[in-house]
Amino acid sequence: MTPHVRACIGLGANLGDAADTLRRAFDALGGCEGVEVLRTSRLYRTPAWGREDQPDFINAVALVDTTLAPRALLERLLAVEAAFGRQRAEGERWGPRTLDLDLLLYGDVVVDEPGLHVPHPHLHERAFALIPLLEVLPNARIPGYGDARDAVSGLEMSNIHPL
């Protein structure tokens, strides 16, 4: 029997009706074999990060129970992104997107493989991910960093607004 693991998925979008996209993406995640959505955060509007010449993002987090290994879960996330029209441009980072799904946490596991890094390498620096993460998992710990609450306490949060 495959063990069940609690994982946290970060969702973001800033093209089209991003709020509707995230609501539909929650449903799409729940429709993935081996994935059960346990809890979803509110939606948050945040300014673009990394590349600021684009529309604001809508961000959220889903807490899921999964029987999938980290790589298999990532593959499901990429398939959901593609179903929502996401096209990944080679070498482009932080650009506009129809849907972005990030594997933020996978239990207390640390994964460092080509194309798969868990916890997400910038999670501890991004209030737009930490605030909804703490909403779905109030005692979240980031392996290698400590409590998510401690990480968010030192970050600027004035630009993050619930919808």
Side-chain angles (χ1 to χ4, degrees):
M1 181 168 175
T2 306
H4 289 255
V5 175
R6 297 267 167 108
C8 293
I9 312 299
L11 298 86
N14 72 338
L15 295 177
D17 186 344
D20 181 62
T21 296
L22 265 57
R23 289 183 191 103
R24 291 185 300 117
F26 285 142
D27 291 338
L29 287 172
C32 291
E33 185 176 335
V35 177
E36 177 187 358
V37 175
L38 302 175
R39 195 172 306 131
T40 60
S41 74
R42 291 179 288 176
L43 305 181
Y44 292 87
R45 179 178 304 280
T46 59
W49 189 93
R51 206 180 108 196
E52 299 173 7
D53 63 335
Q54 58 183 318
D56 287 352
F57 274 83
I58 305 299
N59 294 100
V61 169
L63 173 66
V64 303
D65 180 86
T66 185
T67 56
L68 300 173
R71 176 71 62 185
L73 180 56
L74 176 63
E75 289 170 3
R76 295 279 164 86
L77 299 181
L78 295 174
V80 170
E81 283 183 357
F84 278 79
R86 172 79 186 267
Q87 297 178 349
R88 291 178 174 267
E90 185 70 32
E92 182 178 318
R93 298 188 63 177
W94 306 311
R97 54 202 64 186
T98 55
L99 180 62
D100 185 37
L101 299 175
D102 290 323
L103 181 52
L104 302 176
L105 297 172
Y106 184 87
D108 59 1
V109 171
V110 174
V111 180
D112 191 12
E113 301 174 357
L116 178 59
H117 306 282
V118 180
H120 188 283
H122 299 289
L123 176 58
H124 65 287
E125 303 169 336
R126 295 179 173 174
F128 66 81
L130 289 168
I131 290 172
L133 170 67
L134 287 166
E135 191 176 319
V136 300
L137 192 62
N139 297 319
R141 290 191 51 77
I142 305 169
Y145 293 99
D147 290 337
R149 231 172 250 301
D150 291 341
V152 79
S153 69
L155 298 176
E156 171 61 42
M157 295 184 286
S158 64
N159 292 330
I160 299 171
H161 305 286
L163 293 189

